[in-house]
Amino acid sequence: MKLQRKNRLRALSLGALAVSGALALTACGSDDTNSGGGSSASSSSNAKNNIECKDAKGQLLGNGSSAQANAIDAWRQTFSQACSGVQINYKPEGSGAGVTAFNQGQVAFAGSDSALKPEEVAASKKVCSGGQGIDLPMVGGPIAVAYNLDGVDNLVLDGPTLAKIFDSKITKWDDAAIKKLNPDAKLPSTKIQAFHRSDESGTTDNFTKYLKATAASDWKYEGGKAWQAKGGQSAQGSSGLAQQVKQTSGSITYVELSYAKDGLKTVDIDTGASTPVKATTENASKAIADAKVVGTGKDLALELNYATKADGAYPITLVTYEIVCDKGNKSDTLAATKSFLTYMASEEGQGALSELGYAPIPAEINAKVRETVASIS
């Protein structure tokens, strides 16, 4: 059974990475979003995957974070095999678009790489009858700094240097600041092509929080989901950034590790620890484990330490939240929402994340997520 499960996760990993660029298309209503056909899902559970399908049926719409698109697609494939009466359509249009769609009552859940702001919580009360939107941490992982530079297979950067690169203050790869961090590298005088997100993105929010925490004197921008620095080039979504860097010599960007695993090199981060830290799911988990729950009530928003200097803790991390109503979810999608979220937070659901380039949510925090999912109404 363990071997079968491992092989299934590997297959899902390869499949999710292959279709990540096409997920927006399948989310718009392709028949592929309902891989189990049209049979009823009235049975209470599926023994093979231990997925509860009780009363779950119909179409479940989601929108938001492209960071979690590969995870959502893998989860959707497994869930749809167990609960064939549910059709899950998730559009990875970015965290900002997801929150907007949720607060306009267009989707049952949203994915966001940033917790809801007070004004967004207030707006959610209009669609959550008697309740409000809450943040459920579901997917963790490193934001890799990916680059394309011929002849340089190992590269170390730190917060101040990254801040200057993405603010167009360091423009050549053989700049003295980069040389100092990479004394043994043969750095060319190639122009740096820095790419950032064109859409509102929680990935941008988390990346710039890291820059603010580690390079306050070099990064003077307020931060948030919208990119604010001058210069550089932009692309839509995580897949768009990855594609641009793959085809552009001298380029650099910030993107979730799952998008950097296919042909992109990633930067090791000098945090002040004993050695530079690589962007891995294990190293991201070490950083996320130190997060504090700062949400109130059923909200489980986390506070991350972007300036960590702990050995082996990768500092540029994000947590993607699923946003749902704590009360007042629409009756026609409540059962499907709870069923899908329950699977996502389950041992099997979280166990699938590592092979996809994500970090599972730490067990103590995930236990609270499961309790909260069970209580939504």
Side-chain angles (χ1 to χ4, degrees):
M1 290 297 292
K2 290 183 178 179
L3 180 59
Q4 291 177 346
R5 178 177 179 273
K6 186 173 182 181
N7 288 338
R8 184 172 70 254
L9 292 180
R10 285 179 176 172
L12 287 174
S13 174
L14 292 173
L17 291 173
V19 303
S20 62
L23 182 56
L25 295 179
T26 63
C28 291
S30 166
D31 290 340
D32 290 340
T33 60
N34 189 355
S35 59
S39 61
S40 173
S42 60
S43 61
S44 62
S45 66
N46 178 281
K48 181 180 179 180
N49 297 306
N50 197 31
I51 296 174
E52 292 288 336
C53 305
K54 185 178 181 181
D55 299 325
K57 59 184 179 180
Q59 188 176 65
L60 185 62
L61 300 180
N63 194 327
S65 167
S66 64
Q68 68 169 358
N70 291 335
I72 289 285
D73 194 61
W75 281 332
R76 178 186 59 79
Q77 291 182 46
T78 301
F79 182 85
S80 295
Q81 291 173 7
C83 304
S84 58
V86 181
Q87 183 182 29
I88 300 171
N89 291 341
Y90 180 80
K91 293 183 179 181
E93 295 183 333
S95 297
V99 173
T100 297
F102 179 78
N103 280 343
Q104 291 179 349
Q106 298 174 358
V107 294
F109 72 97
S112 177
D113 306 319
S114 301
L116 291 169
K117 297 178 180 179
E119 60 269 25
E120 293 170 337
V121 173
S124 72
K125 294 179 181 180
K126 296 179 181 179
V127 295
C128 299
S129 179
Q132 65 181 45
I134 55 173
D135 301 287
L136 301 176
M138 198 68 75
V139 181
I143 300 174
V145 179
Y147 70 99
N148 179 348
L149 189 61
D150 290 341
V152 181
D153 294 326
N154 298 289
L155 186 66
V156 175
L157 296 174
D158 59 11
T161 306
L162 282 168
K164 292 172 185 175
I165 287 173
F166 280 91
D167 198 23
S168 303
K169 294 175 182 175
I170 291 179
T171 59
K172 295 292 183 66
W173 278 108
D174 61 352
D175 186 273
I178 302 178
K179 283 185 175 181
K180 185 177 180 179
L181 291 166
N182 300 273
D184 298 326
K186 295 182 179 180
L187 296 165
S189 59
T190 306
K191 180 182 178 181
I192 296 175
Q193 306 279 356
F195 284 88
H196 58 265
R197 288 281 287 270
S198 60
D199 53 320
E200 287 199 358
S201 163
T203 311
T204 294
D205 190 14
N206 284 274
F207 179 64
T208 55
K209 282 179 179 176
Y210 162 76
L211 296 179
K212 289 177 66 178
T214 59
S217 61
D218 296 303
W219 192 261
K220 301 293 187 179
Y221 303 98
E222 182 179 348
K225 294 187 181 79
W227 185 259
Q228 297 172 341
K230 308 299 181 184
Q233 301 179 62
S234 64
Q236 174 84 19
S238 299
S239 59
L241 287 179
Q243 182 179 7
Q244 288 296 326
V245 172
K246 286 178 185 178
Q247 63 190 29
T248 306
S249 179
S251 59
I252 188 170
T253 192
Y254 55 94
V255 68
E256 297 74 33
L257 183 61
S258 62
Y259 289 93
K261 292 178 72 175
D262 184 20
L264 288 177
K265 294 175 284 190
T266 60
V267 170
D268 294 350
I269 302 298
D270 185 344
T271 65
S274 58
T275 57
V277 186
K278 294 185 178 298
T280 68
T281 58
E282 294 81 6
N283 292 343
S285 290
K286 291 179 182 178
I288 296 172
D290 288 335
K292 298 178 181 179
V293 176
V294 294
T296 58
K298 294 183 179 181
D299 188 273
L300 298 177
L302 302 177
E303 181 178 80
L304 300 172
N305 180 12
Y306 299 95
T308 181
K309 295 183 180 180
D311 284 342
Y314 185 79
I316 319 177
T317 59
L318 62 74
V319 170
T320 301
Y321 302 94
E322 309 312 328
I323 297 170
V324 294
C325 299
D326 58 355
K327 298 178 182 178
N329 289 277
K330 294 180 180 179
S331 59
D332 58 340
T333 56
L334 174 60
T337 300
K338 292 184 71 170
S339 182
F340 190 44
L341 291 176
T342 297
Y343 166 62
M344 292 160 71
S346 70
E347 182 178 348
E348 181 168 349
Q350 289 292 300
L353 292 176
S354 295
E355 295 199 25
L356 295 171
Y358 297 102
I361 298 300
E364 183 177 349
I365 298 172
N366 192 47
K368 296 178 181 178
V369 173
R370 294 181 189 179
E371 291 176 7
T372 304
V373 170
S375 71
I376 65 174
S377 60

